[in-house]
Amino acid sequence: MDRNARALRLAIGDTHGRSFWKSYIKEEYKEFYFTGDYFDSFDIPFPKQQTNFLEICEAARTDNRIKMCLGNHDYHYLEGVNKQQYSGFQDNNHKKISAILEKNMDLLKIVFVTKDNFIISHAGITEWFLNSIGGKRPEDINKAFEKDRNVLIFNGINVYGDDITQSPIWVRPGSLQRNPLPGYSQIVGHTPVRKIIEDSLNGADKLILIDTHDTKSIYRF
């Protein structure tokens, strides 16, 4: 039996308004993960971004196997976040985006963790960041975010976000490899790649990059 036939879980990279996820949603799976960044496309108009996000939310509400992460291109529209505007910020539509995000925040998490220690998040978790919030487990980041949304704010130490102090919606692969969270493999979007990349984090742990944009790839694990 090949790997695809054995796959129980699927993870898809940043959609940015793209609807290619629909071609996978009818597959057999145990869980289906989105890594965030539902908005801020440079080539898909806002109405389509909005419709696509709402369709993903509807799918998640009717099927609890579907899990949605929050990305940095969603984060900067949230209420209570110190003013930050990343590339692609839609000033003309930010109130509409904020409203539909807030309405669906119960669906959005910063991190998901599987029973076999795969972390799924938008950008990844460094050991430094988890320690900085007093966390013991990756899921503690969700609780920290609920208490203070600014815990995820871009800190500006590196303009690209390549620093171990960056949050799980901003950190880059190089920093994850320099300061991995021991005992976990991580599946992340955020950093564009031409094809899905499986790299080493620490010993048997893997770093899987799945933000493949227009190649419309999906990761099966």
Side-chain angles (χ1 to χ4, degrees):
M1 184 178 292
D2 65 20
R3 181 181 181 183
N4 288 354
R6 290 187 284 107
L8 293 177
R9 297 168 298 200
L10 308 178
I12 200 164
D14 311 5
T15 55
H16 289 292
R18 299 175 183 86
S19 60
F20 65 91
W21 58 274
K22 295 179 182 179
S23 64
Y24 295 105
I25 206 72
K26 295 181 180 179
E27 288 192 16
E28 292 293 328
Y29 57 83
K30 183 178 179 180
E31 295 162 337
F32 192 115
Y33 295 92
F34 288 84
T35 62
D37 275 9
Y38 308 99
F39 296 99
D40 295 353
S41 170
F42 290 106
D43 56 2
I44 297 175
F46 167 69
K48 288 187 177 180
Q49 295 175 46
Q50 177 178 244
T51 297
N52 191 58
F53 174 69
L54 292 175
E55 288 177 342
I56 295 172
C57 290
E58 181 180 4
R61 291 199 182 281
T62 57
D63 187 344
N64 61 13
R65 298 175 300 168
I66 298 172
K67 316 293 184 182
M68 299 174 64
C69 294
L70 182 79
N72 61 302
H73 284 279
D74 317 307
Y75 176 75
H76 60 179
Y77 295 107
L78 296 182
E79 296 175 1
V81 171
N82 291 342
K83 188 175 182 181
Q84 296 213 322
Q85 295 182 6
Y86 315 136
S87 63
F89 182 84
Q90 300 174 76
D91 190 59
N92 291 338
N93 298 305
H94 79 274
K95 291 184 179 179
K96 293 179 181 178
I97 297 173
S98 176
I100 59 177
L101 280 167
E102 294 295 342
K103 186 177 181 179
N104 291 285
M105 280 303 294
D106 60 307
L107 295 173
L108 296 162
K109 301 294 183 184
I110 310 307
V111 56
F112 292 95
V113 183
T114 67
K115 292 181 179 180
D116 52 345
N117 291 341
F118 277 90
I119 292 173
I120 302 95
S121 67
H122 180 62
I125 303 170
T126 63
E127 185 176 28
W128 189 98
F129 183 84
L130 184 61
N131 289 338
S132 75
I133 64 167
K136 301 298 183 183
R137 304 179 306 154
E139 297 94 330
D140 292 338
I141 296 172
N142 293 327
K143 297 177 183 178
F145 173 73
E146 290 174 2
K147 292 180 180 179
D148 179 9
R149 290 180 172 183
N150 286 294
V151 72
L152 300 180
I153 207 159
F154 179 71
N155 64 30
I157 292 176
N158 178 281
V159 295
Y160 187 58
D162 194 5
D163 190 272
I164 65 171
T165 66
Q166 288 286 8
S167 79
I169 62 169
W170 259 112
V171 70
R172 298 293 179 177
S175 294
L176 290 175
Q177 290 177 313
R178 289 193 297 273
N179 188 234
L181 195 60
Y184 294 92
S185 291
Q186 301 203 39
I187 300 172
V188 304
H190 185 52
T191 300
V193 290
R194 291 186 178 182
K195 63 180 181 179
I196 290 173
I197 295 174
E198 292 191 23
D199 210 340
S200 174
L201 266 182
N202 186 16
D205 303 333
K206 294 181 180 179
L207 172 62
I208 302 104
L209 309 179
I210 66 169
D211 184 16
T212 60
H213 284 276
D214 290 330
T215 63
K216 304 177 181 178
S217 298
I218 197 162
Y219 185 66
R220 296 174 168 87
F221 67 110

